[in-house]
Coordinates of all heavy atoms in Angstrom, one line a residue:
M825 N 7.2 -18.8 -1.7 CA 7.0 -17.6 -2.4 C 8.0 -16.6 -1.9 O 8.2 -16.4 -0.7 CB 5.5 -17.2 -2.2 CG 5.2 -15.9 -2.9 SD 3.4 -15.5 -2.6 CE 2.8 -15.8 -4.2
S826 N 8.6 -16.0 -2.7 CA 9.7 -15.0 -2.4 C 9.0 -13.6 -2.0 O 8.0 -13.3 -2.3 CB 10.7 -14.8 -3.5 OG 10.1 -13.9 -4.5
I827 N 9.8 -12.9 -1.3 CA 9.3 -11.6 -0.9 C 9.0 -10.6 -2.1 O 8.1 -10.0 -2.1 CB 10.4 -10.8 0.1 CG1 10.6 -11.6 1.3 CG2 10.0 -9.4 0.4 CD1 10.2 -10.9 2.6
E828 N 9.9 -10.7 -3.0 CA 9.7 -9.9 -4.2 C 8.5 -10.2 -5.0 O 7.7 -9.3 -5.3 CB 10.9 -9.9 -5.1 CG 10.9 -8.9 -6.2 CD 12.1 -8.9 -7.1 OE1 13.1 -9.3 -6.6 OE2 12.0 -8.4 -8.2
S829 N 8.2 -11.5 -5.2 CA 7.0 -11.9 -5.8 C 5.7 -11.6 -5.0 O 4.7 -11.2 -5.6 CB 7.0 -13.4 -6.2 OG 7.0 -14.2 -5.1
R830 N 5.8 -11.6 -3.7 CA 4.7 -11.2 -2.8 C 4.4 -9.8 -2.8 O 3.3 -9.3 -2.9 CB 5.0 -11.7 -1.4 CG 3.9 -11.4 -0.4 CD 2.8 -12.3 -0.7 NE 1.8 -12.1 0.4 CZ 0.6 -11.9 0.1 NH1 0.1 -12.0 -1.2 NH2 -0.3 -11.7 1.1
M831 N 5.5 -9.0 -3.0 CA 5.3 -7.5 -3.1 C 4.7 -7.1 -4.4 O 4.1 -6.1 -4.6 CB 6.6 -6.9 -2.8 CG 7.3 -6.9 -1.5 SD 6.5 -6.1 -0.3 CE 7.2 -4.6 -0.2
H832 N 5.0 -7.9 -5.4 CA 4.4 -7.5 -6.9 C 2.9 -8.0 -6.9 O 2.2 -7.4 -7.7 CB 5.2 -8.3 -7.9 CG 6.4 -7.7 -8.3 ND1 6.5 -6.5 -9.1 CD2 7.8 -8.1 -8.2 CE1 7.7 -6.1 -9.2 NE2 8.5 -7.1 -8.7
N833 N 2.6 -8.9 -6.0 CA 1.2 -9.4 -6.2 C 0.2 -8.3 -5.6 O 0.4 -7.8 -4.5 CB 1.0 -10.6 -5.3 CG -0.3 -11.3 -5.4 OD1 -1.2 -10.9 -6.0 ND2 -0.4 -12.5 -4.7
P834 N -0.8 -7.9 -6.5 CA -1.7 -6.8 -6.0 C -2.7 -7.2 -4.9 O -3.4 -6.3 -4.4 CB -2.4 -6.4 -7.3 CG -2.3 -7.7 -8.1 CD -1.0 -8.3 -7.8
R835 N -2.7 -8.6 -4.6 CA -3.6 -9.0 -3.5 C -3.2 -8.3 -2.2 O -2.1 -8.0 -2.0 CB -3.7 -10.5 -3.4 CG -4.4 -11.1 -4.6 CD -4.5 -12.6 -4.5 NE -5.2 -12.9 -3.3 CZ -4.9 -14.0 -2.7 NH1 -4.0 -14.9 -3.0 NH2 -5.6 -14.3 -1.6
R836 N -4.1 -8.2 -1.2 CA -3.9 -7.5 0.0 C -2.8 -8.3 0.8 O -2.9 -9.5 1.0 CB -5.2 -7.4 0.7 CG -6.2 -6.6 0.0 CD -7.5 -6.6 0.7 NE -8.3 -5.6 0.2 CZ -9.4 -5.0 0.7 NH1 -9.6 -5.3 2.0 NH2 -10.2 -4.2 0.2
L837 N -1.9 -7.5 1.4 CA -1.0 -7.9 2.4 C -1.6 -7.8 3.8 O -1.7 -8.7 4.5 CB 0.4 -7.2 2.3 CG 1.3 -7.7 1.2 CD1 2.5 -6.8 1.2 CD2 1.6 -9.1 1.3
V838 N -2.0 -6.6 4.1 CA -2.7 -6.3 5.4 C -4.1 -5.7 5.2 O -5.0 -6.6 5.3 CB -1.8 -5.2 6.3 CG1 -2.4 -4.9 7.5 CG2 -0.3 -5.8 6.5
C839 N -4.2 -4.6 4.8 CA -5.6 -4.2 4.5 C -5.6 -3.6 3.0 O -6.5 -2.9 2.6 CB -6.1 -3.1 5.4 SG -5.7 -1.4 5.3
G840 N -4.5 -3.6 2.3 CA -4.5 -3.2 0.9 C -4.3 -1.8 0.6 O -4.6 -1.3 -0.6
V841 N -3.8 -0.9 1.5 CA -3.8 0.4 1.2 C -2.7 0.8 0.1 O -3.1 1.4 -0.9 CB -3.4 1.3 2.5 CG1 -3.1 2.7 2.2 CG2 -4.6 1.3 3.4
A842 N -1.6 0.2 0.3 CA -0.6 0.4 -0.8 C -1.0 -0.1 -2.3 O -0.8 0.5 -3.2 CB 0.8 -0.2 -0.5
A843 N -1.6 -1.3 -2.2 CA -2.0 -2.0 -3.4 C -3.2 -1.1 -4.1 O -3.2 -0.9 -5.3 CB -2.5 -3.3 -3.2
S844 N -4.1 -0.6 -3.3 CA -5.1 0.3 -3.8 C -4.7 1.6 -4.3 O -5.2 2.1 -5.4 CB -6.1 0.5 -2.7 OG -6.8 -0.8 -2.4
L845 N -3.7 2.2 -3.6 CA -3.1 3.4 -4.1 C -2.4 3.2 -5.4 O -2.5 4.1 -6.4 CB -1.9 3.9 -3.1 CG -2.5 4.8 -1.9 CD1 -1.4 5.1 -0.9 CD2 -3.2 6.0 -2.4
A846 N -1.7 2.1 -5.6 CA -1.0 1.8 -6.8 C -2.0 1.6 -7.9 O -1.8 2.1 -9.1 CB -0.2 0.5 -6.6
H847 N -3.0 0.9 -7.7 CA -4.1 0.6 -8.7 C -4.9 2.0 -9.1 O -5.1 2.3 -10.3 CB -5.1 -0.3 -8.2 CG -6.3 -0.5 -9.1 ND1 -6.2 -1.1 -10.3 CD2 -7.5 -0.2 -9.0 CE1 -7.3 -1.1 -10.9 NE2 -8.2 -0.5 -10.2
K848 N -5.1 2.8 -8.1 CA -5.9 4.1 -8.4 C -5.0 5.1 -9.2 O -5.7 5.7 -10.0 CB -6.2 4.7 -7.0 CG -6.8 6.1 -7.0 CD -8.2 6.1 -7.4 CE -8.8 7.5 -7.2 NZ -10.0 7.6 -7.8
F849 N -3.7 5.1 -8.9 CA -3.0 6.1 -9.7 C -2.1 5.5 -10.8 O -1.3 6.2 -11.4 CB -2.2 6.9 -8.7 CG -2.8 7.7 -7.7 CD1 -3.0 7.3 -6.4 CD2 -3.5 8.8 -8.2 CE1 -3.8 8.0 -5.5 CE2 -4.4 9.6 -7.3 CZ -4.4 9.2 -5.9
G850 N -2.2 4.2 -11.0 CA -1.5 3.5 -12.0 C 0.0 3.3 -11.7 O 0.9 3.2 -12.7
W851 N 0.4 3.3 -10.5 CA 1.7 3.0 -10.0 C 2.1 1.6 -9.9 O 1.2 0.8 -10.0 CB 2.0 3.7 -8.7 CG 1.7 5.1 -8.6 CD1 1.8 6.1 -9.7 CD2 1.4 5.9 -7.5 NE1 1.5 7.3 -9.1 CE2 1.3 7.3 -7.9 CE3 1.2 5.6 -6.2 CZ2 1.0 8.3 -7.0 CZ3 0.8 6.6 -5.2 CH2 0.7 8.0 -5.7
S852 N 3.4 1.2 -9.8 CA 3.8 0.0 -9.7 C 3.4 -0.5 -8.2 O 3.8 0.2 -7.1 CB 5.4 -0.1 -9.8 OG 5.8 -1.3 -9.3
C853 N 2.8 -1.6 -8.0 CA 2.5 -2.2 -6.7 C 3.8 -2.3 -5.9 O 3.8 -2.0 -4.7 CB 1.6 -3.4 -6.9 SG 0.9 -3.9 -5.4
F854 N 4.7 -2.9 -6.5 CA 6.0 -3.2 -5.9 C 6.7 -1.9 -5.2 O 7.0 -1.9 -4.1 CB 7.0 -3.9 -6.8 CG 8.3 -4.3 -6.2 CD1 8.5 -5.3 -5.3 CD2 9.4 -3.5 -6.5 CE1 9.7 -5.6 -4.8 CE2 10.7 -3.7 -6.1 CZ 10.8 -4.7 -5.2
W855 N 6.8 -0.9 -6.1 CA 7.4 0.2 -5.6 C 6.7 1.1 -4.6 O 7.1 1.7 -3.8 CB 8.0 1.1 -6.7 CG 9.0 0.5 -7.5 CD1 9.1 -0.1 -8.7 CD2 10.4 0.3 -6.9 NE1 10.3 -0.5 -8.9 CE2 11.1 -0.3 -7.8 CE3 11.0 0.7 -5.7 CZ2 12.5 -0.6 -7.7 CZ3 12.3 0.4 -5.6 CH2 13.0 -0.3 -6.4
T856 N 5.3 1.0 -4.7 CA 4.5 1.7 -3.8 C 4.6 1.0 -2.4 O 4.7 1.7 -1.5 CB 2.9 1.6 -4.3 OG1 3.0 2.1 -5.5 CG2 2.1 2.4 -3.3
R857 N 4.7 -0.3 -2.4 CA 4.8 -1.1 -1.1 C 6.2 -0.8 -0.6 O 6.3 -0.6 0.7 CB 4.7 -2.5 -1.3 CG 3.2 -2.8 -1.4 CD 2.8 -4.3 -1.5 NE 1.4 -4.5 -1.5 CZ 0.8 -5.6 -1.9 NH1 1.5 -6.4 -2.7 NH2 -0.5 -5.7 -1.7
I858 N 7.3 -0.7 -1.4 CA 8.6 -0.4 -0.9 C 8.7 1.0 -0.2 O 9.2 1.2 0.8 CB 9.7 -0.5 -2.0 CG1 9.8 -1.9 -2.5 CG2 11.1 0.1 -1.6 CD1 10.3 -3.0 -1.5
V859 N 8.1 1.9 -0.9 CA 8.1 3.4 -0.4 C 7.4 3.4 1.0 O 7.7 4.0 1.8 CB 7.6 4.4 -1.5 CG1 7.2 5.7 -0.8 CG2 8.5 4.5 -2.6
T860 N 6.2 2.7 0.9 CA 5.4 2.6 2.1 C 6.2 2.0 3.3 O 6.2 2.6 4.5 CB 4.1 1.9 1.9 OG1 3.4 2.5 0.9 CG2 3.2 1.8 3.2
A861 N 6.9 1.0 3.1 CA 7.8 0.4 4.1 C 8.9 1.2 4.7 O 9.1 1.3 5.8 CB 8.3 -1.0 3.6
V862 N 9.5 2.0 3.6 CA 10.5 2.9 4.0 C 9.9 4.0 4.9 O 10.5 4.4 6.0 CB 11.2 3.5 2.8 CG1 12.2 4.7 3.1 CG2 12.1 2.4 2.1
L863 N 8.9 4.6 4.5 CA 8.1 5.6 5.3 C 7.8 5.1 6.8 O 7.9 5.8 7.8 CB 6.9 6.2 4.7 CG 7.1 7.0 3.4 CD1 5.8 7.3 2.6 CD2 7.9 8.2 3.7
V864 N 7.4 3.8 6.8 CA 7.1 3.4 8.1 C 8.4 3.2 8.9 O 8.3 3.5 10.2 CB 6.3 1.9 7.9 CG1 6.3 1.2 9.3 CG2 4.9 2.2 7.4
L865 N 9.4 2.8 8.4 CA 10.6 2.6 9.1 C 11.2 3.9 9.5 O 11.7 4.0 10.6 CB 11.7 1.9 8.2 CG 11.4 0.5 8.1 CD1 12.3 -0.1 7.0 CD2 11.3 -0.3 9.3
L866 N 11.0 5.1 8.7 CA 11.5 6.3 9.0 C 10.6 7.1 10.1 O 11.3 7.8 11.0 CB 11.7 7.2 7.8 CG 12.7 6.7 6.7 CD1 12.8 7.7 5.6 CD2 14.1 6.8 7.4
N867 N 9.4 7.0 10.1 CA 8.5 7.7 10.9 C 7.2 6.9 11.2 O 6.2 7.1 10.5 CB 8.1 9.1 10.3 CG 7.4 10.0 11.4 OD1 7.1 9.5 12.5 ND2 7.3 11.2 11.0
P868 N 7.4 6.0 12.1 CA 6.2 5.0 12.3 C 5.0 5.7 12.8 O 3.9 5.2 12.3 CB 6.8 4.1 13.3 CG 8.2 4.3 13.5 CD 8.5 5.6 13.0
A869 N 5.0 6.6 13.5 CA 3.8 7.2 14.1 C 3.0 7.9 13.0 O 1.7 7.8 12.9 CB 4.1 8.2 15.2
M870 N 3.7 8.7 12.2 CA 3.0 9.4 11.2 C 2.5 8.5 10.0 O 1.4 8.7 9.5 CB 4.0 10.5 10.5 CG 3.3 11.4 9.4 SD 1.8 12.2 10.1 CE 2.7 13.5 11.0
A871 N 3.3 7.5 9.7 CA 2.9 6.5 8.7 C 1.7 5.7 9.1 O 0.8 5.5 8.4 CB 4.2 5.5 8.4
L872 N 1.7 5.4 10.4 CA 0.5 4.7 11.0 C -0.7 5.5 10.8 O -1.9 5.0 10.4 CB 0.7 4.2 12.3 CG -0.3 3.4 13.0 CD1 -0.4 2.0 12.2 CD2 0.1 3.1 14.4
L873 N -0.7 6.7 11.1 CA -1.8 7.7 11.1 C -2.2 7.9 9.7 O -3.5 7.8 9.4 CB -1.3 9.1 11.7 CG -2.4 10.1 11.7 CD1 -3.6 9.7 12.7 CD2 -1.7 11.6 12.0
C874 N -1.4 8.1 8.6 CA -1.7 8.3 7.3 C -2.3 6.9 6.8 O -3.2 6.9 6.0 CB -0.5 8.6 6.5 SG 0.1 10.2 6.8
Y875 N -1.7 5.8 7.2 CA -2.2 4.5 6.8 C -3.7 4.3 7.2 O -4.5 3.8 6.5 CB -1.3 3.4 7.4 CG -1.6 2.0 6.9 CD1 -1.0 1.7 5.7 CD2 -2.4 1.0 7.5 CE1 -1.2 0.3 5.0 CE2 -2.5 -0.2 7.0 CZ -2.0 -0.6 5.8 OH -2.2 -1.7 5.3
F876 N -4.1 4.6 8.4 CA -5.4 4.4 8.9 C -6.3 5.5 8.2 O -7.5 5.2 7.8 CB -5.6 4.6 10.4 CG -5.0 3.4 11.2 CD1 -4.1 3.4 12.1 CD2 -5.5 2.1 10.8 CE1 -3.7 2.3 12.7 CE2 -5.2 0.9 11.5 CZ -4.2 1.0 12.5
A877 N -5.8 6.7 8.0 CA -6.7 7.7 7.2 C -7.0 7.2 5.8 O -8.1 7.3 5.4 CB -5.9 9.0 7.3
L878 N -6.0 6.7 5.2 CA -6.2 6.2 3.8 C -7.2 4.9 3.9 O -7.9 4.7 2.9 CB -4.9 5.9 3.1 CG -4.0 7.0 2.8 CD1 -2.7 6.6 2.2 CD2 -4.8 7.8 1.7
A879 N -6.9 4.1 4.9 CA -7.8 2.9 5.0 C -9.3 3.3 5.1 O -10.2 2.5 4.6 CB -7.4 2.0 6.2
L880 N -9.6 4.4 5.8 CA -10.9 4.8 6.0 C -11.5 5.3 4.6 O -12.7 5.3 4.3 CB -11.1 5.9 7.0 CG -10.8 5.5 8.4 CD1 -10.7 6.7 9.4 CD2 -11.8 4.6 8.8
V881 N -10.7 6.0 3.8 CA -11.1 6.5 2.5 C -11.1 5.4 1.4 O -11.8 5.6 0.4 CB -10.1 7.6 2.1 CG1 -10.4 8.2 0.7 CG2 -10.0 8.8 3.1
M882 N -10.5 4.4 1.6 CA -10.3 3.3 0.6 C -11.7 2.7 0.2 O -11.7 2.3 -0.9 CB -9.5 2.2 1.2 CG -8.0 2.6 1.4 SD -7.3 3.4 0.0 CE -6.6 2.0 -0.9
D883 N -12.7 2.7 1.0 CA -13.9 2.1 0.7 C -14.6 2.8 -0.5 O -15.1 2.1 -1.5 CB -14.9 2.2 1.8 CG -14.6 1.4 2.9 OD1 -13.8 0.4 2.8 OD2 -15.0 1.7 4.1
K884 N -14.2 4.1 -0.7 CA -14.7 4.8 -1.9 C -13.9 4.5 -3.1 O -14.3 4.9 -4.2 CB -14.6 6.3 -1.6 CG -15.6 6.8 -0.5 CD -15.4 8.2 0.0 CE -16.2 8.3 1.2 NZ -15.9 9.7 1.8
W885 N -12.8 3.9 -3.0 CA -11.9 3.5 -4.1 C -11.9 2.2 -4.5 O -11.2 1.8 -5.3 CB -10.3 3.9 -3.7 CG -10.0 5.2 -3.5 CD1 -10.9 6.3 -3.7 CD2 -8.8 5.8 -3.1 NE1 -10.2 7.4 -3.3 CE2 -8.9 7.1 -3.0 CE3 -7.6 5.1 -2.7 CZ2 -7.8 8.0 -2.6 CZ3 -6.5 5.9 -2.4 CH2 -6.7 7.3 -2.3
E886 N -12.9 1.3 -4.0 CA -12.9 -0.1 -4.4 C -12.9 -0.2 -5.9 O -13.6 0.6 -6.7 CB -14.2 -0.7 -3.8 CG -14.1 -0.8 -2.3 CD -12.9 -1.8 -1.9 OE1 -12.6 -2.8 -2.5 OE2 -12.2 -1.4 -0.9
R887 N -12.4 -1.3 -6.4 CA -12.4 -1.6 -7.9 C -13.6 -1.9 -8.4 O -14.5 -2.6 -7.8 CB -11.4 -2.8 -8.2 CG -10.0 -2.4 -7.6 CD -9.1 -3.6 -8.0 NE -7.7 -3.2 -7.4 CZ -6.8 -4.1 -7.5 NH1 -6.9 -5.3 -8.1 NH2 -5.7 -3.9 -7.0

């Protein structure tokens, strides 16, 4: 399985924050994951904090 096909797959990679955001707002799962990865590379501490905050809120966003 290639990286691109794995990024397009809406199933969870880690805890599904990017996939759930994409589903909630109708965005592309692939590009949401790419933007998330870039943010993590640019500012890992802030991205990790936002990731955990969104993961806590995600229970209310379940499909």
